[in-house]
């Protein structure tokens, strides 16, 4: 029972257990991802939502996701390995000779944003702009745990409206330019794609690109910073991975379990329903806390211990079910390459202790904004 808890202040249900969170995420019929009814109607957001398939339910979700899923299969993504290694090396060359390196500025932020921007055909040089957008959505909001979730959402939407407007305009211009100049990138593929025999409108492509651009970098940035922090706190694990880089994929899964970048997801109950032994009414706002599920002692022995040798690690950091992260193979590859190259190039890596590590807002993201090494 303690795994599903009603929160009077936020007026939502927190789902904390692993099987309970997985049950919510595997039942889109009972738990919808479409939260629009709960939010105030706002024109800029409505425009963005048209192609933002993470907030859609079947059957529309499957059709839109299907248009881009081919670009992110493990086989296709493996082809990006040389480019990811090249960008990593170039970024680290930019810090050559320095004994102090700001990991987020120098590598963890630019690497994933360059990779996803190139896939989409968007100029990676505009990344300061994308950074500002990501900060507005994932970092700087002051979420007050005592405020109702809907009130917080309304406030966040009001604060973010100018950014959404700017993002819509930027992406629309990019799509229009691409129409006259198709290339080998995802934007061009979306321009040519058809759903139920119809091409997508420019306005629908906006949400696609915005979703991929934002989801495609900020969480991977978090994973790189989180990995370095976990290795700093667990020097034995770092030494083992340095000796045997074949351990890196399991170590990254453990980082994702231990410091889960998106701690909680959101759904709304479409009908009276039940999670475990708890009855929920139709319309209930449900928050599957995947970060809590990843510390569920019924699934993970000694969950608060960072252990790269777990025999099983069914961590939920990429979600579960039909919305399982489309970018998981890419994120895993970027983390493996970047950390592998860092270990090769630097014989010793440690966090600079004379500056505080700057954490993000943990209600939204588990990551560090700055990590001087
Ligand atoms: C969905 C996490 C990297 C694109 C998700 C979801 C999670 C997640 C938890 C599920 C959301 C839900 O069910 O409501 C992460 C983490 C990453 C990461 C932890 C890095 C370590 C990426 C990358 C991309 C990406 C690199 C870019 C391609 C997406 C998209 C969805 C998604 C498009 C929506 C999928 C759908 O609704 O069907 N991600 N993500 N993510 N992610 Fe990621």
């Amino acid at each position: 029972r303690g795994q599903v808890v009603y929160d009077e202040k936020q007026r939502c249900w927190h789902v904390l257990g692993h099987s309970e969170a997985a049950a919510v995420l595997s039942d889109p019929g009972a738990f919808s991802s479409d939260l629009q009814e709960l939010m105030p109607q706002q024109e800029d957001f409505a425009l963005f939502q048209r192609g933002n398939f993470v907030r859609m339910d079947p059957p529309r979700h499957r059709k839109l996701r299907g248009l881009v899923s081919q670009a992110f299969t493990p086989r296709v993504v493996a082809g990006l390995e040389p480019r990811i290694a090249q960008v990593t090396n170039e970024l680290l060359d930019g810090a050559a000779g320095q004994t102090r390196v700001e990991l987020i500025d120098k590598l963890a932020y630019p690497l994933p944003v360059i990779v996803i921007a190139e896939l989409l055909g968007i100029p990676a040089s505009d990344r300061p702009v994308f950074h500002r957008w990501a900060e507005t959505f994932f970092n700087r909001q002051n979420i007050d745990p005592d405020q109702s979730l809907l009130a917080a959402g309304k406030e966040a939407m009001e604060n973010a409206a100018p950014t959404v407007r700017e993002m819509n305009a930027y992406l629309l211009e990019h799509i229009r330019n691409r129409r006259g100049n198709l290339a080998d990138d995802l934007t061009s593929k979306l321009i040519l794609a058809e759903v139920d025999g119809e091409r997508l409108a420019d306005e629908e492509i906006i949400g696609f690109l915005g979703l991929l651009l934002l989801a495609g970098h900020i969480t991977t940035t978090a994973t790189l910073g989180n990995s370095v922090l976990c290795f700093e706190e667990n020097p034995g694990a770092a030494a083992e991975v340095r000796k045997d880089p074949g351990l890196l994929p399991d170590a990254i899964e453990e980082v994702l379990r231990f410091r889960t970048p998106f701690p909680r997801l959101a759904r709304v109950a479409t009908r009276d329903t039940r999670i475990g032994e708890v009855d929920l009414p139709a319309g209930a706002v449900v928050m599957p806390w995947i970060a809590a599920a990843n510390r569920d002692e019924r699934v993970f022995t000694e969950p608060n211990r960072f252990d790269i040798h777990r025999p099983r690690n069914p961590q939920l950091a990429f979600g579960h079910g039909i919305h399982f992260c489309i970018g998981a193979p890419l994120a895993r590859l970027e983390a493996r390459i970047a950390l592998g190259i860092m270990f090769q190039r630097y014989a010793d890596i440690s966090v600079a202790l004379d500056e505080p590590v700057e954490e993000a807002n943990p209600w939204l993201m588990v990551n560090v904004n700055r990590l001087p090494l």
Side-chain angles (χ1 to χ4, degrees):
R1 265 191 164 263
Q3 304 296 336
V4 182
V5 186
Y6 185 66
D7 181 333
E8 298 277 347
K9 286 180 182 158
Q10 295 211 338
R11 281 182 258 148
C12 70
W13 296 82
H14 297 298
V15 179
L16 306 170
H18 190 280
S19 62
E20 291 80 1
V24 170
L25 298 174
S26 17
D27 191 352
F31 299 101
S32 165
S33 286
D34 182 352
L35 310 181
Q36 284 195 69
E37 295 253 311
L38 301 173
M39 294 294 168
Q41 294 307 310
Q42 211 270 358
E43 210 180 306
D44 302 299
F45 279 93
L47 182 58
F48 184 76
Q49 293 303 349
R50 283 183 61 186
N52 180 16
F53 59 89
V54 72
R55 295 265 67 102
M56 287 177 196
D57 295 326
R60 183 98 183 134
H61 165 262
R62 189 171 44 78
K63 289 179 185 161
L64 294 205
R65 178 175 165 123
L67 297 181
V68 284
S69 56
Q70 288 306 316
F72 294 100
T73 61
R75 200 175 52 82
V76 172
V77 164
L80 299 173
E81 179 154 358
R83 179 65 185 142
I84 297 171
Q86 184 190 21
V87 176
T88 303
N89 275 312
E90 283 170 9
L91 290 168
L92 290 178
D93 287 347
Q98 297 170 12
T99 49
R100 180 178 286 247
V101 176
E102 213 311 298
L103 178 80
I104 309 299
D105 284 357
K106 284 286 186 304
L107 180 70
Y109 186 76
L111 172 67
V113 87
I114 290 172
V115 172
I116 191 71
E118 286 183 358
L119 280 174
L120 299 175
I122 291 175
S125 53
D126 285 341
R127 61 180 183 264
V129 180
F130 312 148
H131 197 186
R132 194 157 41 73
W133 297 346
E135 294 277 292
T136 311
F137 298 127
F138 299 116
N139 233 349
R140 300 281 180 236
Q141 294 170 18
N142 291 325
I143 290 198
D144 174 357
D146 287 344
Q147 201 180 18
S148 103
L149 209 71
L150 295 184
K154 187 166 175 273
E155 203 180 303
M157 276 178 82
E158 276 159 15
N159 293 340
T163 309
V164 178
R165 201 170 310 132
E166 182 190 338
M167 191 164 85
N168 288 345
Y170 177 99
L171 294 172
L172 192 59
E173 194 189 331
H174 165 66
I175 297 159
R176 291 195 174 140
N177 287 342
R178 260 291 170 277
R179 262 194 199 284
N181 183 18
L182 292 175
D184 183 19
D185 58 32
L186 265 181
T187 307
S188 305
K189 287 206 178 81
L190 288 169
I191 288 172
L192 297 174
E194 286 185 5
V195 176
D196 297 333
E198 281 186 36
R199 290 267 167 95
L200 295 172
D202 289 354
E203 288 73 15
E204 275 168 314
I205 303 179
I206 291 179
F208 258 102
L209 298 185
L211 168 65
L212 288 166
L213 182 62
L214 292 177
H217 74 277
I218 193 81
T219 40
T220 311
T221 302
T223 303
L224 292 176
N226 289 343
S227 300
V228 172
L229 276 185
C230 288
F231 287 133
E232 168 85 8
E233 288 161 4
N234 299 276
E240 275 189 82
V241 172
R242 275 184 182 278
K243 221 167 122 199
D244 177 4
L247 292 173
L248 208 38
D250 282 354
I252 293 164
E253 293 309 293
E254 182 65 351
V255 171
L256 288 163
R257 183 191 75 82
F258 199 78
R259 289 182 63 89
T260 304
F262 270 144
R264 61 164 179 183
L265 306 178
R267 299 291 190 265
V268 59
T270 57
R271 47 177 143 90
D272 289 354
T273 182
R274 179 162 247 260
I275 311 173
E277 292 165 24
V278 180
D279 291 315
L280 275 78
V285 178
V286 179
M287 301 268 143
W289 279 87
I290 50 178
N294 281 343
R295 302 278 185 120
D296 187 336
E297 61 197 8
R298 295 171 300 176
V299 177
F300 303 100
T301 327
E302 287 190 75
N304 296 324
R305 199 160 69 82
F306 180 81
D307 177 3
I308 64 171
H309 298 294
R310 291 188 179 275
R312 265 183 78 244
N313 190 350
Q315 56 83 10
L316 295 178
F318 290 118
H320 185 71
I322 61 165
H323 290 280
F324 181 82
C325 178
I326 212 170
L330 177 59
R332 285 174 165 138
L333 183 69
E334 286 178 332
R336 180 170 65 69
I337 295 174
L339 293 165
I341 292 179
M342 278 175 72
F343 281 145
Q344 265 166 25
R345 289 182 59 145
Y346 293 97
D348 186 15
I349 298 172
S350 55
V351 176
L353 295 174
D354 53 348
E355 281 184 50
V357 168
E358 214 182 279
E359 304 250 358
N361 180 342
W363 279 83
L364 286 168
M365 285 283 296
V366 174
N367 76 334
V368 281
N369 296 329
R370 284 179 48 75
L371 193 58
L373 304 180

